[in-house]
Every structure is written in C-alpha cells, then in structure tokens.
Amino acid sequence: MNPRKKIRLGDLMVEHKLISKTQLDEALADQKKSGRKLGRILVENGYVDEEQMFQVLSDQLKIPFVDLLRYNFNPDVIRLIPEIQSRRFRAVALSSSDDGVLVGMVDPTNIFAYDELTRILKRPVKLAIVRETDLLKTIDTVYRKTDEISGFAEELSVELGENDIDLGALLLAADVKDAPVVKLLYSLFEDAVQIHASDIHIEPDENVLRIRQRVDGVLQEHIMDETRIAPALVLKLKLMGGLDISEKRLPQDGRFSVTVKDHNIDVRLSTMPVQYGESVVMRLLDQTGGTLDLDALGMPEAILKRMEILIRRPHGMILVTGPTGSGKTTTLYAALKALNSPEKKIITIEDPVEYRIPRINQIQVNTNIGLSFARVLRSALRQDPDIVLVGEMRDEETAEIGLRAAMTGHMVLSTLHTNDAIGTVNRLMDMGIKSYLLASALHAILAQRLVRRICQSCSRLAELDPQQTAWLNAHGNETAFKATFKQGKGCGYCNYTGYLGRIGVYELLEFDQQISDVLSQGDSAAFASVARTARGFRPLNLVALQYAIEGITSMDEVIRISADIDTMMDATTDTAYQGVAV
C-alpha cells in the first residue's frame, strides 16, 4: 500500500466539523511560533479529541489505526527496522507475513520515509497510523541495550585476550573513550536510564558474569559468558568512584556522577569481595528532574491535605516509616521542597546526601571520624534552624535529641525502619525512649510501601487463588467481596512481568489529645487500640486493597506488603479492622 498524497490535517478537521476555522487559524499561528506539529497543538489546546482525529485520518487514508498500548507486539519484528531509522521516521514494524510488513507511522503520508522503509525492509510495506507518544514509548521499551552490552562485552573480552595485561594502562590510556570497557559501562547506564532502573548489580560467578537491574523493586537478569571482563569493569568503576584499586579483600563505598541521554545520574557505588571476584552494586539517583512535589507522590487526597498542614507546624516531630526501598527519602525530600523558602533555615543530616537542594544546609554523616547522627544533630541545633531533617533514627541518643528538639521550637522530620505506624511507637520505646517524650513531641507517623502497578497494556481479569481468597475473607468487606480483580498477563512493554511502574501506599497516624494521653501512660496495648480507631486512620493493607479493587495493582502485591503487618497483628486482626471501610 503506497502512502496517499499529502493531506492538510487542519482542513480535514474543519471538513469533518471537528474544529472551527477560527480554531484552525489559532493553531496555525501557534505552530508558526512554536514549531510544534499541528496535530499535537490541536489536541493539547483541547480543540479536538485525539481518538477522533486519528479515526478521521484512518478513514481518509484507508489504513488502520493501531493503539500501541493495547497491541501485543513482537520485539523481534519491531527490530526489523533499526532504532535510528525508527526514531527518524517515527515508524515501527508491527507484524510480518508473506505478503509484507505492517508498519505503524505517525505520518503515513511521508513518501520519503515510506521509500526508505521499503528499501530497509526489502519487502512490501503496509501502513497503519499510530500515536507519536505511544510510538516513542514502544521504541524505548523494545530497543534495549542488551545486544549492545553483549557486543561490547565480547569486544572487551577479545581485547583482554588470554594473557594478563596491564588493565590500568589500558583504562587510563589517552583513547580511553574508545576502550570497550567504557563503551560497555556507558551502555549499561544508558539501558538503566531507559528502563528507569534504580540499581545495577554486577556479580561474577564461576562460569558467567551476571548483570542485574532493579526495575520497580524487582531484579531483571542479563547473563554474559565473558567472565574475564569482570575485573576490568570493577577496576574502572573503582577509578571512577575514587576507591583503592589495589584493595580487593575489603568492601569499599564511593560515588561519582555520569551524564547519560541528558540525564545527570548520581551513582552510589558499593564493592564487596565474593567467591569469584568482587561484586558491585550501584544505586542510581537521577538528579535531572530534581525532587518531586508532595502532590506528585500519589498520596490519597485526605492524607496529602493533612501532611501539607502537619509539616508547616512550627514545632514537633513527623516520622516516615517503612522498609528499605519504600520511598521514605523521596517523601521527606518532597516535604523539604514544599518548606524550602528564604524565611526558613533548614538543616539535613544524612547518610548519604542523596539529592542536593539549593538553600538547604545538607550534612554528610561520617562515623569514621566520629561525625555521627547524634553529634551532628547537637551541633545543628546550635545553628538556629527552623526545620531539621535527620536521615534515620538509628539509636536512642539520636532519637532522644530529636524529640527534645521537637519540644523546643523545631520541626523535626526523620525516618525509621518499621512495618507500620502503630509499631513505630513500640520500636522507639524498645530503644529506650520514654513514653512521655513521644507523647509530647510526636505529631504524626506516616507509614508507606510501594506496590507495583498492573501494566495497562496487558491487564485482564483475574480469578483469585485459594490464598488470595482466604486473605480477602480475613480482611475484606462487602465492597471487596463484590469486586473484580485484575492482573497483567505480561507483554513487551512490561518485560513480560505484568507490572509497569509503582504507586505509593500510605497510612497516616495523626496524634490527637486522646492518643497522646494514652501514650504518655506507657501502655502500648492501650495505645494500639486507640490508634486503630483514630479519625482518618486506614491500615496499609486496606489502602492497598482499595488499589486492587480499582484495578491499579494486583492481589499478589496487596498480600506481599501485608504479610509482615499481619504477622504482628494476628491476635487482633478480627477487631483491628472492624468499622474500617474500604
């Protein structure tokens, strides 16, 4: 199918009475100023519905419109068109058969692109129309750097050869930018940025080298046979992180920054001696977008409004709790961003400093020289701060200093590794903190988790298994029993995991006079009982269950984050949730 002659999109929309002549003139004037495409302007200005626009184009050109987000594509077919040409011509190969290749294009009337794609594919080309945003997302998903990484790994393995060589001389040579190890590392980082990985793990094994990337909290593995490249990778990373390249028997920590695809990535590096060499883990912090706003975290509206009020109080302590990787630091930085103003003196005490924020005095803890959380906190309080962020309440001394600071005119924000809001108080009391201090200083505890979102491209109805049914019978209510649940089948967009992205699950316990009075008496059981019936309090697992009812996440994710909470509350489960609506 040859592309039709060039059509004027604006005239076509007017002809079908989707927009007025005045709206077209305004959009054309906008296009002349901004250089943006007319179709995008019409949609963004609200002149035309995108679905209607594509349907008209489809009917006019007599070619199908393909919704890529719902299309179950084959990555091998998409790669029939090289990535460079796919991005250049805004085209993607959708299916292949004996009579040709179906190609989705943003602009099917582009005759030059059609001719070039026919030359590349060497087969007849049939056309379909696709959205540009969906096409770019598909390209980013499919054209992973795994093949490129493997190629550079093989190249580096050949360069290293069978004999020992001076790797230091190789990597520090003048043409280091062309060295395969540098290309390999750059491809690793580029792939990680493309799939939004939070960590890269490099793990040498006896016969293979494993490279794993953590995406949405779950590791994805890539295995290489070139085991000889592991020492070269570790050596280069140590040089980049300022570590001792001669020390291979002890763990080391460092950090460096790299720029990849216009993203400024701060890398926290950790090495560990293992059986077959050194394991390296890199935590990637994308500094390009800065910190998130509170209202961009996905908090329920009721919790968001209360948090915005709580953090602006002149004094008191607010704790954010949850396990490692639950997004506590992201929440605290969002709070600091909201509070950061010329009128406020803000000091943070962190280990390590993750995001650099203008106007805020950020201090890096260093226990090797005696610069502990407690010592820095004492000194920070003499700097006349309005707000103090303590990275973590790790010990009794730090917690007590922070609580006393909260009682004497400072707003103190901090984190604690506990399973839920109610259990946080027990944890602090176990550390040796007096209950009257907690009652006087604590204003709120925000517990949180991250659950994976179901991939909307492969989402479908799911039947509950016996374990899920039993959980629902124990914790659900009438709304949940009537609900239909979903799960992801797995597709190219989500790397066949069934999940794409994550969303926060939050539980806010706000201390009112009744809760504080009970807490001051030191009766943890009475405190827990009163806290569960506090105004606005909803347990984490019921918030997650609501997400499952809405089709945002799966029952597997709900049970995963609920397991540790249920273990702590098994004796009181039946009464803990009475009267709590989902």
Side-chain angles (χ1 to χ4, degrees):
M1 180 188 299
N2 288 321
R4 272 50 179 177
K5 65 179 181 179
K6 191 73 175 178
I7 61 173
R8 294 172 64 89
L9 176 63
D11 294 340
L12 190 62
M13 295 298 104
V14 173
E15 180 183 334
H16 284 78
K17 299 181 179 179
L18 294 178
I19 63 172
S20 66
K21 184 66 170 63
T22 302
Q23 289 174 324
L24 174 60
D25 291 340
E26 292 174 354
L28 289 172
D30 191 341
Q31 182 188 38
K32 188 174 182 180
K33 291 179 182 177
S34 64
R36 293 184 299 159
K37 292 184 177 180
L38 180 62
R40 179 55 47 200
I41 294 172
L42 292 173
V43 172
E44 290 179 354
N45 287 359
Y47 295 158
V48 65
D49 179 77
E50 190 173 34
E51 294 290 341
Q52 289 180 315
M53 182 176 72
F54 279 114
Q55 193 57 57
V56 168
L57 285 171
S58 173
D59 295 340
Q60 181 74 16
L61 296 172
K62 294 181 172 57
I63 60 175
F65 165 66
V66 175
D67 185 351
L68 287 177
L69 289 182
R70 300 291 177 184
Y71 190 82
N72 191 15
F73 57 79
N74 184 337
D76 293 331
V77 172
I78 288 183
R79 291 193 187 99
L80 292 174
I81 303 175
E83 181 181 2
I84 293 176
Q85 281 76 23
S86 184
R87 292 187 185 277
R88 178 184 177 190
F89 299 129
R90 293 295 193 262
V92 61
L94 299 175
S95 64
S96 177
S97 59
D98 294 337
D99 58 346
V101 179
L102 177 64
V103 176
M105 294 184 67
V106 173
D107 182 5
T109 66
N110 188 333
I111 298 175
F112 173 75
Y114 175 85
D115 292 339
E116 281 295 300
L117 291 171
T118 303
R119 182 185 63 78
I120 292 169
L121 294 169
K122 297 182 174 61
R123 297 168 64 186
V125 172
K126 297 178 289 183
L127 295 177
I129 187 169
V130 297
R131 297 188 195 92
E132 184 173 19
T133 52
D134 295 347
L135 178 134
L136 293 175
K137 179 182 177 182
T138 301
I139 291 173
D140 285 341
T141 301
V142 172
Y143 291 99
R144 294 281 304 275
K145 301 297 178 181
T146 50
D147 294 337
E148 186 177 288
I149 290 168
S150 297
F152 287 142
E154 291 174 7
E155 184 181 344
L156 177 59
S157 183
V158 170
E159 183 165 325
L160 293 177
E162 297 294 337
N163 301 318
D164 292 335
I165 64 172
D166 185 354
L167 289 175
L170 167 69
L171 299 174
L172 296 174
D175 59 342
V176 67
K177 290 184 179 179
D178 298 323
V181 67
V182 178
K183 295 178 183 177
L184 173 57
L185 283 173
Y186 187 84
S187 293
L188 277 176
F189 286 123
E190 192 172 27
D191 188 51
V193 168
Q194 193 162 299
I195 62 174
H196 306 292
S198 60
D199 303 82
I200 300 175
H201 296 235
I202 300 174
E203 303 169 345
D205 210 334
E206 183 176 11
N207 300 312
V208 297
L209 174 64
R210 302 180 193 278
I211 294 182
R212 303 198 281 176
Q213 296 165 312
R214 190 175 295 279
V215 181
D216 295 336
V218 178
L219 287 171
Q220 299 177 3
E221 187 172 77
H222 181 58
I223 296 177
M224 300 180 182
D225 295 327
E226 294 80 16
T227 55
R228 291 195 307 274
I229 71 174
L233 280 175
V234 175
L235 177 60
K236 181 59 183 175
L237 288 169
K238 282 184 172 181
L239 288 169
M240 293 169 68
L243 305 184
D244 183 355
I245 62 174
S246 64
E247 181 55 76
K248 300 179 180 180
R249 301 167 300 170
L250 296 174
Q252 297 188 68
D253 296 315
R255 69 188 303 166
F256 59 88
S257 296
V258 292
T259 301
V260 181
K261 299 180 76 170
D262 298 324
H263 289 257
N264 183 24
I265 308 298
D266 194 21
V267 182
R268 283 159 44 188
L269 176 71
S270 172
T271 68
M272 176 76 71
V274 292
Q275 187 175 6
Y276 297 105
E278 287 182 275
S279 168
V280 176
V281 175
M282 291 178 281
R283 168 62 58 88
L284 310 181
L285 299 168
D286 192 344
Q287 305 284 345
T288 305
T291 55
L292 294 175
D293 294 320
L294 269 177
D295 57 7
L297 297 179
M299 286 183 185
E301 189 67 23
I303 291 181
L304 175 62
K305 288 181 178 178
R306 291 308 305 163
M307 281 296 294
E308 289 176 337
I309 293 171
L310 286 165
I311 62 175
R312 286 180 169 80
R313 288 183 177 176
H315 57 82
M317 177 180 285
I318 298 174
L319 291 176
V320 180
T321 74
T324 300
S326 59
K328 300 186 298 295
T329 302
T330 300
T331 299
L332 286 179
Y333 272 112
L336 287 185
K337 184 175 182 181
L339 295 170
N340 191 8
S341 67
E343 296 80 23
K344 299 289 185 182
K345 168 87 169 186
I346 303 176
I347 297 177
T348 73
I349 306 160
E350 305 173 67
D351 184 20
V353 174
E354 295 194 6
Y355 293 95
R356 294 162 178 82
I357 308 175
R359 198 187 290 116
I360 294 180
N361 298 272
Q362 298 174 269
I363 305 168
Q364 168 77 54
V365 169
N366 188 346
T367 54
N368 293 330
I369 59 172
L371 204 62
S372 65
F373 273 106
R375 182 174 179 180
V376 176
L377 181 53
R378 279 199 192 91
S379 299
L381 294 175
R382 292 194 288 270
Q383 292 278 309
D384 188 30
D386 297 290
I387 301 160
V388 178
L389 183 148
V390 183
E392 183 185 346
M393 292 295 177
R394 293 185 177 178
D395 52 61
E396 178 185 355
E397 184 181 13
T398 305
E400 185 165 335
I401 297 170
L403 287 163
R404 293 191 182 279
M407 294 169 61
T408 56
H410 304 89
M411 170 52 69
V412 180
L413 307 175
S414 190
T415 72
L416 201 63
H417 287 87
T418 58
N419 291 320
D420 63 351
I422 295 174
T424 301
V425 169
N426 291 333
R427 170 70 185 281
L428 288 167
M429 291 172 68
D430 289 342
M431 288 169 58
I433 304 299
K434 300 294 188 293
S435 59
Y436 71 85
L437 272 180
L438 296 173
S440 301
L442 265 180
H443 283 197
I445 301 172
L446 180 74
Q448 65 181 73
R449 295 287 194 285
L450 293 174
V451 295
R452 292 182 291 172
R453 291 177 178 267
I454 295 173
C455 174
Q456 295 305 304
S457 297
C458 59
S459 173
R460 59 192 56 206
L461 295 178
E463 293 290 332
L464 298 185
D465 62 30
Q467 181 191 8
Q468 294 168 343
T469 301
W471 189 96
L472 198 60
N473 287 335
H475 302 289
N477 65 5
E478 188 176 346
T479 304
F481 297 142
K482 294 179 180 179
T484 56
F485 297 93
K486 294 183 179 181
Q487 67 182 17
K489 179 184 178 183
C491 65
Y493 281 114
C494 58
N495 200 29
Y496 301 96
T497 62
Y499 298 98
L500 190 62
R502 289 189 288 180
I503 185 172
V505 179
Y506 300 92
E507 166 187 291
L508 179 64
L509 176 60
E510 191 172 348
F511 285 62
D512 57 21
Q513 191 61 50
Q514 181 187 12
I515 293 176
S516 297
D517 288 343
V518 173
L519 178 56
S520 65
Q521 298 169 12
D523 187 341
S524 58
F527 163 77
S529 178
V530 172
R532 290 188 191 108
T533 59
R535 179 177 57 87
F537 178 76
R538 296 180 69 206
L540 280 166
N541 48 9
L542 290 191
V543 177
L545 177 58
Q546 180 62 36
Y547 285 152
I549 292 171
E550 295 171 3
I552 297 172
T553 193
S554 68
M555 279 300 299
D556 283 337
E557 285 292 283
V558 176
I559 293 174
R560 178 181 65 81
I561 72 157
S562 302
D564 50 6
I565 303 167
D566 293 342
T567 301
M568 295 173 59
M569 301 177 61
D570 54 2
T572 55
T573 296
D574 293 335
T575 59
Y577 303 110
Q578 288 179 0
V580 181
V582 175

